[in-house]
Short mmCIF file of all heavy atoms in Angstrom, two decimals:
data_model
loop_
_atom_site.label_atom_id
_atom_site.label_comp_id
_atom_site.label_asym_id
_atom_site.label_seq_id
_atom_site.Cartn_x
_atom_site.Cartn_y
_atom_site.Cartn_z
N TRP A 487 0.09 10.59 -0.73
CA TRP A 487 0.62 11.77 -1.40
C TRP A 487 0.84 11.53 -2.89
O TRP A 487 1.96 11.49 -3.38
CB TRP A 487 1.92 12.22 -0.73
CG TRP A 487 1.62 12.88 0.56
CD1 TRP A 487 1.82 12.39 1.80
CD2 TRP A 487 0.97 14.13 0.73
NE1 TRP A 487 1.36 13.26 2.74
CE2 TRP A 487 0.84 14.34 2.12
CE3 TRP A 487 0.50 15.10 -0.15
CZ2 TRP A 487 0.25 15.48 2.63
CZ3 TRP A 487 -0.08 16.23 0.37
CH2 TRP A 487 -0.20 16.41 1.74
N ILE A 488 -0.27 11.35 -3.62
CA ILE A 488 -0.19 11.22 -5.08
C ILE A 488 0.40 12.48 -5.69
O ILE A 488 1.22 12.44 -6.59
CB ILE A 488 -1.58 10.94 -5.67
CG1 ILE A 488 -2.14 9.65 -5.08
CG2 ILE A 488 -1.53 10.85 -7.18
CD1 ILE A 488 -3.58 9.42 -5.46
N ILE A 489 -0.05 13.63 -5.20
CA ILE A 489 0.44 14.90 -5.75
C ILE A 489 1.86 15.16 -5.27
O ILE A 489 2.74 15.48 -6.04
CB ILE A 489 -0.47 16.05 -5.32
CG1 ILE A 489 -1.90 15.78 -5.81
CG2 ILE A 489 0.03 17.37 -5.88
CD1 ILE A 489 -2.89 16.79 -5.31
N ALA A 490 2.07 15.02 -3.97
CA ALA A 490 3.39 15.33 -3.41
C ALA A 490 4.46 14.45 -4.00
O ALA A 490 5.62 14.83 -4.09
CB ALA A 490 3.36 15.17 -1.90
N ALA A 491 4.10 13.25 -4.45
CA ALA A 491 5.07 12.35 -5.05
C ALA A 491 5.64 12.93 -6.32
O ALA A 491 6.71 12.53 -6.78
CB ALA A 491 4.43 10.99 -5.34
N CYS A 492 4.93 13.88 -6.92
CA CYS A 492 5.41 14.49 -8.15
C CYS A 492 6.40 15.60 -7.87
O CYS A 492 7.02 16.13 -8.78
CB CYS A 492 4.23 15.04 -8.95
SG CYS A 492 3.03 13.81 -9.44
N VAL A 493 6.55 16.02 -6.61
CA VAL A 493 7.38 17.16 -6.28
C VAL A 493 8.81 16.69 -6.02
O VAL A 493 9.21 16.47 -4.90
CB VAL A 493 6.81 17.90 -5.05
CG1 VAL A 493 7.61 19.15 -4.78
CG2 VAL A 493 5.36 18.24 -5.28
N CYS A 494 9.55 16.46 -7.08
CA CYS A 494 10.93 16.01 -6.95
C CYS A 494 11.81 16.95 -7.75
O CYS A 494 11.62 17.16 -8.93
CB CYS A 494 11.08 14.57 -7.45
SG CYS A 494 10.31 14.27 -9.03
N VAL A 495 12.80 17.57 -7.11
CA VAL A 495 13.58 18.62 -7.73
C VAL A 495 14.89 18.08 -8.25
O VAL A 495 15.66 17.46 -7.51
CB VAL A 495 13.85 19.76 -6.71
CG1 VAL A 495 14.66 20.85 -7.34
CG2 VAL A 495 12.53 20.29 -6.17
N SER A 496 15.15 18.27 -9.51
CA SER A 496 16.41 17.85 -10.11
C SER A 496 17.52 18.79 -9.68
O SER A 496 17.31 19.99 -9.53
CB SER A 496 16.26 17.85 -11.64
OG SER A 496 17.52 17.67 -12.25
N THR A 497 18.73 18.25 -9.51
CA THR A 497 19.87 19.09 -9.14
C THR A 497 20.64 19.55 -10.38
O THR A 497 21.60 20.28 -10.28
CB THR A 497 20.82 18.31 -8.22
OG1 THR A 497 21.24 17.11 -8.89
CG2 THR A 497 20.12 17.94 -6.92
N THR A 498 20.20 19.13 -11.57
CA THR A 498 20.87 19.51 -12.81
C THR A 498 20.14 20.68 -13.44
O THR A 498 18.93 20.60 -13.68
CB THR A 498 20.88 18.34 -13.81
OG1 THR A 498 21.51 17.23 -13.18
CG2 THR A 498 21.62 18.73 -15.08
N PRO A 499 20.80 21.81 -13.73
CA PRO A 499 20.13 22.95 -14.33
C PRO A 499 19.47 22.56 -15.65
O PRO A 499 20.00 21.81 -16.45
CB PRO A 499 21.27 23.95 -14.54
CG PRO A 499 22.31 23.56 -13.56
CD PRO A 499 22.23 22.08 -13.46
N ALA A 500 18.27 23.10 -15.88
CA ALA A 500 17.53 22.79 -17.09
C ALA A 500 17.36 24.04 -17.93
O ALA A 500 17.11 25.12 -17.42
CB ALA A 500 16.16 22.22 -16.72
N ARG A 501 17.51 23.90 -19.21
CA ARG A 501 17.27 25.01 -20.12
C ARG A 501 15.77 25.21 -20.29
O ARG A 501 15.00 24.28 -20.25
CB ARG A 501 17.91 24.72 -21.47
CG ARG A 501 19.43 24.58 -21.40
CD ARG A 501 20.00 24.25 -22.76
NE ARG A 501 21.45 24.11 -22.71
CZ ARG A 501 22.19 23.79 -23.75
NH1 ARG A 501 21.62 23.56 -24.94
NH2 ARG A 501 23.50 23.69 -23.63
N ALA A 502 15.40 26.48 -20.52
CA ALA A 502 13.99 26.79 -20.68
C ALA A 502 13.38 26.02 -21.83
O ALA A 502 12.23 25.58 -21.77
CB ALA A 502 13.81 28.30 -20.89
N SER A 503 14.15 25.81 -22.92
CA SER A 503 13.61 25.14 -24.10
C SER A 503 13.31 23.67 -23.84
O SER A 503 12.53 23.06 -24.56
CB SER A 503 14.59 25.26 -25.27
OG SER A 503 15.83 24.67 -24.92
N SER A 504 13.95 23.07 -22.82
CA SER A 504 13.74 21.64 -22.54
C SER A 504 12.92 21.43 -21.27
O SER A 504 12.87 20.32 -20.75
CB SER A 504 15.08 20.93 -22.40
OG SER A 504 15.82 21.45 -21.31
N TRP A 505 12.25 22.47 -20.79
CA TRP A 505 11.52 22.38 -19.53
C TRP A 505 10.41 21.33 -19.61
O TRP A 505 10.12 20.65 -18.64
CB TRP A 505 10.94 23.73 -19.16
CG TRP A 505 10.38 23.79 -17.77
CD1 TRP A 505 11.06 23.83 -16.60
CD2 TRP A 505 9.00 23.79 -17.43
NE1 TRP A 505 10.19 23.88 -15.53
CE2 TRP A 505 8.92 23.84 -16.00
CE3 TRP A 505 7.81 23.75 -18.16
CZ2 TRP A 505 7.71 23.87 -15.33
CZ3 TRP A 505 6.61 23.78 -17.48
CH2 TRP A 505 6.57 23.83 -16.08
N PHE A 506 9.81 21.18 -20.78
CA PHE A 506 8.74 20.20 -20.94
C PHE A 506 9.25 18.83 -21.38
O PHE A 506 8.45 17.94 -21.67
CB PHE A 506 7.72 20.70 -21.97
CG PHE A 506 6.81 21.77 -21.43
CD1 PHE A 506 7.06 23.10 -21.71
CD2 PHE A 506 5.72 21.45 -20.64
CE1 PHE A 506 6.23 24.09 -21.22
CE2 PHE A 506 4.88 22.43 -20.14
CZ PHE A 506 5.14 23.76 -20.43
N GLY A 507 10.57 18.64 -21.41
CA GLY A 507 11.12 17.39 -21.92
C GLY A 507 10.83 16.18 -21.06
O GLY A 507 10.91 15.05 -21.54
N ASP A 508 10.50 16.36 -19.77
CA ASP A 508 10.26 15.22 -18.89
C ASP A 508 8.78 15.06 -18.54
O ASP A 508 8.43 14.42 -17.54
CB ASP A 508 11.09 15.35 -17.61
CG ASP A 508 10.84 16.65 -16.86
OD1 ASP A 508 10.11 17.52 -17.40
OD2 ASP A 508 11.37 16.82 -15.74
N THR A 509 7.91 15.63 -19.33
CA THR A 509 6.48 15.47 -19.08
C THR A 509 6.03 14.05 -19.40
O THR A 509 6.61 13.36 -20.24
CB THR A 509 5.65 16.46 -19.92
OG1 THR A 509 5.90 16.22 -21.31
CG2 THR A 509 5.98 17.88 -19.56
N THR A 510 4.99 13.59 -18.71
CA THR A 510 4.43 12.26 -18.94
C THR A 510 2.92 12.36 -19.07
O THR A 510 2.28 13.24 -18.49
CB THR A 510 4.77 11.29 -17.79
OG1 THR A 510 4.23 11.81 -16.57
CG2 THR A 510 6.28 11.12 -17.66
N LEU A 511 2.34 11.44 -19.85
CA LEU A 511 0.90 11.34 -20.04
C LEU A 511 0.53 9.87 -19.88
O LEU A 511 0.99 9.02 -20.64
CB LEU A 511 0.50 11.85 -21.41
CG LEU A 511 -1.01 11.90 -21.69
CD1 LEU A 511 -1.70 12.90 -20.76
CD2 LEU A 511 -1.26 12.28 -23.15
N ASN A 512 -0.30 9.57 -18.87
CA ASN A 512 -0.66 8.20 -18.57
C ASN A 512 -2.17 8.06 -18.46
O ASN A 512 -2.88 9.01 -18.10
CB ASN A 512 -0.03 7.75 -17.24
CG ASN A 512 1.48 7.78 -17.27
OD1 ASN A 512 2.10 7.23 -18.18
ND2 ASN A 512 2.08 8.44 -16.29
N GLY A 513 -2.66 6.85 -18.72
CA GLY A 513 -4.07 6.55 -18.58
C GLY A 513 -4.28 5.33 -17.71
O GLY A 513 -3.38 4.50 -17.53
N GLN A 514 -5.48 5.21 -17.16
CA GLN A 514 -5.81 4.08 -16.30
C GLN A 514 -7.32 3.83 -16.35
O GLN A 514 -8.11 4.77 -16.41
CB GLN A 514 -5.37 4.35 -14.86
CG GLN A 514 -5.50 3.18 -13.91
CD GLN A 514 -4.77 3.40 -12.61
OE1 GLN A 514 -3.58 3.12 -12.47
NE2 GLN A 514 -5.48 3.93 -11.62
N ILE A 515 -7.71 2.55 -16.32
CA ILE A 515 -9.12 2.15 -16.33
C ILE A 515 -9.35 1.18 -15.19
O ILE A 515 -8.55 0.25 -14.97
CB ILE A 515 -9.50 1.49 -17.66
CG1 ILE A 515 -9.25 2.43 -18.85
CG2 ILE A 515 -10.97 1.06 -17.65
CD1 ILE A 515 -9.47 1.77 -20.19
N GLU A 516 -10.46 1.39 -14.45
CA GLU A 516 -10.84 0.47 -13.37
C GLU A 516 -12.33 0.21 -13.42
O GLU A 516 -13.14 1.14 -13.61
CB GLU A 516 -10.49 1.05 -12.00
CG GLU A 516 -10.84 0.10 -10.85
CD GLU A 516 -11.24 0.81 -9.56
OE1 GLU A 516 -11.49 2.04 -9.61
OE2 GLU A 516 -11.33 0.15 -8.51
N GLY A 517 -12.70 -1.05 -13.26
CA GLY A 517 -14.09 -1.43 -13.14
C GLY A 517 -14.24 -2.57 -12.17
O GLY A 517 -13.30 -3.36 -11.97
N GLY A 518 -15.42 -2.68 -11.52
CA GLY A 518 -15.59 -3.74 -10.54
C GLY A 518 -17.04 -3.97 -10.19
O GLY A 518 -17.95 -3.32 -10.71
N ILE A 519 -17.26 -4.89 -9.26
CA ILE A 519 -18.59 -5.23 -8.79
C ILE A 519 -18.49 -5.82 -7.39
O ILE A 519 -17.51 -6.51 -7.07
CB ILE A 519 -19.28 -6.24 -9.74
CG1 ILE A 519 -20.72 -6.54 -9.29
CG2 ILE A 519 -18.47 -7.53 -9.84
CD1 ILE A 519 -21.49 -7.41 -10.27
#
Side-chain angles (χ1 to χ4, degrees):
W487 285 107
I488 300 172
I489 301 174
C492 299
V493 185
C494 48
V495 180
S496 170
T497 57
T498 303
R501 298 178 180 178
S503 60
S504 62
W505 190 74
F506 284 99
D508 56 353
T509 60
T510 59
L511 184 64
N512 299 309
Q514 187 167 273
I515 301 174
E516 181 212 13
I519 183 174

